[in-house]
Amino acid sequence: MSGICGAFNFEDRPEAEVGYTVWADARLDYREELKGALGIAPGETASDADLILAAYQKWGEACVDHLLGDFAFAIHDPRSNKLFCARDHFGLRPFYYHFSKSRLVFASDARLILCDQHVPFAINEARIADFLVPELEWIDYTSTFYEDIYRLTPGHALVMDESGLRISEYWQPEPGPDLGPMSDEDWRDGFLEVFTRAIDERLRSTHGPTGTMLSGGMDSGSVSAVANGLLRDRGESLRTWSVVQNESVECDESRRIRASLQHIGIAGATIEPGAIADLDGQLVESIEEPFDAEYLFLKAIYVSAAREGMHALLDGGGGDVLFNEGSYLTRLLRQGRLPTAFHELRKGPQFWGGSVPKEVLRCSAAALVPEFAKSRVRPYRLRSTGRGFIEASIIHPEFARSVDIESRCKQMFDMFPMDRTSYEQERIRKIRPNVTAGRERYARLAASAGMEARDPFLDRRVVDFCSRLPGRMLFRDGWPKWILREAMSGLLPDEVRWGLGKPHIGWMYNQVFLRRRLDVGELGIEQLGDTLGSFVDSGRLRHAWQDFVTTGDSEIIHSAYILSLW
């Protein structure tokens, strides 16, 4: 995957007339529409960087209002000696920067900024605390593991000129245009149309083949099924990558993956946990942040696909957030639609499991307790939840106090909107805080293998359409993602469409990885304690080690080992 890296000093004015300079890491969608708006003939060749520059020359800083896709770019405007930078709506392309006086250094990888001799190297210890209390990965949109190096928030632009540095939001998630009254069939067909177009846009590649990830769930399964149909119509074949258990092992996810492959009619590449032996050396190689190594199965997929000459993989990472029904059941109760509400409350636990009475009690309390009472209780509840996160971790109490970890927990909770709004606003406002950290992780892992990650569920037009979905299209008869299950009728097997729960075997790759490191003598409790020092509580670390050795519970030890390597 290509990226960007550059530096700009406002005081270094060029002695001679120069043209525009563009740094772009971009994959633009709906290019022909953009070319038409720019007056570029349909057959005329233009790279994504060419289109970004042409858009800037036509609309100035408002160019970002006309761009759709995944992008991070910087443009030096010689007319005013100004640097204009922007990052896409959902942060699918990274943009890091360091600013000091009149100088800005920027890159797609934070470590590249540290190569600049004017940028001091200092670890941001607060971010290490966030890693040790992993729920804090979502604490903000800007911090990194390095002091004075920041991420540009998705949907934001950065300008550096004679007045200094300023950052502004050019887009925030809001519900798409009102689509008026629509039948269930209209919603289903309308979604499938925009979704298919989004996948088609992401299959485009000028640098090598594009494939898909395929799990046993609805999201990546839907992406793969639609992509396969599009490629088949062109006389091409889809290539998929999946992590599975050996066929001799009973595993719901592996069985569903194989059912999807058979239904779609392709072979697909599968990676079993034993393949760690072949991939081990590359799994933690070039890891940019400790958080990235929590998803070793993703790195295994990207490395395997890169070995086969692939350039990009589509995935379904944004599906869970996009189709989350939010407070639908609570709103049914609040609106007095009791028969529908209690029907769904009775059916709901069939998918995830759980207690019907508890779900009824939870939703009833959410619907009936006045907002002023909730606002009084909420700070205490969130404080208790945050303390639970801290107590479940291995962070050293003194280190936790030094970074004010409880305040960081509060900051993380503040990222997620709690105010009562319209149903459409509630759902759309949850997208950015819920997807940014995950999409950044996908991007970094893909880049570390020379690959590119693409998510059609986070296409702006798909998001706009889905933001208007009524609750009945998101949750019906106890089934989440109802519209997706309906849209995939005939495209995915019923075993996947109506499979209960959400099985996931990615954690097994972390476990196998750790066991191999233990077997070859590269992992030990003393080594972890010595390396992590005052960051972790030695008693909690030893307790986690004992759990790992006796029961195989590897989550905490895996994180500790990754941090020690980093």
Side-chain angles (χ1 to χ4, degrees), residues 112-327:
L112 294 176
I113 294 176
L114 293 170
C115 296
D116 187 291
Q117 61 179 343
H118 300 289
V119 179
F121 175 84
I123 295 295
N124 179 7
E125 292 193 351
R127 201 63 177 140
I128 291 180
D130 296 343
F131 180 72
L132 291 171
V133 184
E135 291 81 6
L136 296 180
E137 181 179 8
W138 291 268
I139 191 169
D140 60 32
Y141 301 115
T142 58
S143 62
T144 72
F145 278 82
Y146 306 102
E147 294 282 0
D148 299 320
I149 296 179
Y150 304 97
R151 296 133 65 207
L152 182 61
T153 301
H156 282 61
L158 178 155
V159 174
M160 183 176 172
D161 57 19
E162 60 184 2
S163 63
L165 181 77
R166 66 181 188 274
I167 295 173
S168 60
E169 184 176 56
Y170 70 82
W171 180 84
Q172 62 176 336
E174 291 290 345
D178 188 349
L179 300 175
M182 293 175 67
S183 68
D184 290 359
E185 292 73 20
D186 291 336
W187 283 115
R188 180 198 63 202
D189 296 344
F191 164 72
L192 191 55
E193 181 180 348
V194 296
F195 185 53
T196 300
R197 180 72 188 277
I199 291 172
D200 198 19
E201 290 290 328
R202 282 156 183 77
L203 289 173
R204 177 181 68 88
S205 178
T206 57
H207 302 291
T210 301
T212 67
M213 290 188 185
L214 177 63
S215 73
M218 284 297 304
D219 302 330
S220 62
S222 300
V223 172
S224 297
V226 173
N228 182 62
L230 289 167
L231 291 175
R232 185 179 57 231
D233 290 345
R234 301 171 192 166
E236 302 175 29
S237 299
L238 175 69
R239 303 184 68 184
T240 67
W241 271 262
S242 308
V243 291
V244 298
Q245 276 278 40
N246 186 281
E247 289 192 63
S248 64
V249 178
E250 179 61 29
C251 173
D252 286 344
E253 178 162 29
S254 301
R255 188 179 64 252
R256 293 178 191 178
I257 289 170
R258 294 184 175 105
S260 290
L261 290 172
Q262 183 177 9
H263 189 90
I264 294 172
I266 57 177
T270 56
I271 307 168
E272 297 180 4
I276 291 293
D278 183 43
L279 300 171
D280 195 337
Q282 293 179 270
L283 290 181
V284 293
E285 184 181 68
S286 302
I287 288 292
E288 186 176 339
E289 290 191 1
F291 285 116
D292 299 346
E294 299 293 285
Y295 280 10
L296 289 184
F297 77 96
L298 281 181
K299 183 64 180 288
I301 288 175
Y302 286 127
V303 169
S304 298
R307 288 181 177 181
E308 296 297 318
M310 303 301 289
H311 170 70
L313 291 181
L314 279 64
D315 62 73
D320 282 342
V321 177
L322 190 64
F323 295 113
N324 187 282
E325 70 274 9
S327 65

Side-chain angles (χ1 to χ4, degrees), residues 281-438:
Q282 293 179 270
L283 290 181
V284 293
E285 184 181 68
S286 302
I287 288 292
E288 186 176 339
E289 290 191 1
F291 285 116
D292 299 346
E294 299 293 285
Y295 280 10
L296 289 184
F297 77 96
L298 281 181
K299 183 64 180 288
I301 288 175
Y302 286 127
V303 169
S304 298
R307 288 181 177 181
E308 296 297 318
M310 303 301 289
H311 170 70
L313 291 181
L314 279 64
D315 62 73
D320 282 342
V321 177
L322 190 64
F323 295 113
N324 187 282
E325 70 274 9
S327 65
Y328 173 56
L329 301 183
T330 298
R331 290 176 188 264
L332 287 177
L333 291 170
R334 195 177 291 145
Q335 294 161 7
R337 298 168 60 187
L338 301 184
T340 302
F342 284 110
H343 169 77
E344 296 297 355
L345 286 168
R346 182 172 59 85
K347 290 282 191 177
Q350 74 177 3
F351 185 78
W352 293 111
S355 164
V356 172
K358 284 184 179 180
E359 187 66 6
V360 171
L361 182 62
R362 183 188 68 81
C363 290
S364 298
L368 300 176
V369 175
E371 186 59 33
F372 78 86
K374 293 180 187 176
S375 64
R376 295 283 184 87
V377 173
R378 188 174 294 129
Y380 299 99
R381 180 171 58 83
L382 294 181
R383 189 178 303 124
S384 175
T385 301
R387 287 173 177 169
F389 293 157
I390 297 166
E391 290 169 4
S393 75
I394 58 172
I395 191 169
H396 195 287
E398 288 297 325
F399 177 49
R401 280 190 286 272
S402 73
V403 299
D404 197 357
I405 199 71
E406 289 197 17
S407 292
R408 295 186 72 77
C409 286
K410 181 181 183 303
Q411 182 182 341
M412 186 269 292
F413 288 128
D414 288 343
M415 286 278 288
F416 297 87
M418 301 292 290
D419 56 319
R420 182 181 293 183
T421 59
S422 72
Y423 186 54
E424 293 82 5
Q425 288 175 322
E426 171 205 325
R427 291 183 53 246
I428 196 72
R429 290 178 184 177
K430 288 183 177 179
I431 291 181
R432 185 183 283 171
N434 277 288
V435 305
T436 298

Side-chain angles (χ1 to χ4, degrees), residues 68 212 298 482 531:
L68 295 173
T212 67
L298 281 181
W482 176 265
T531 305

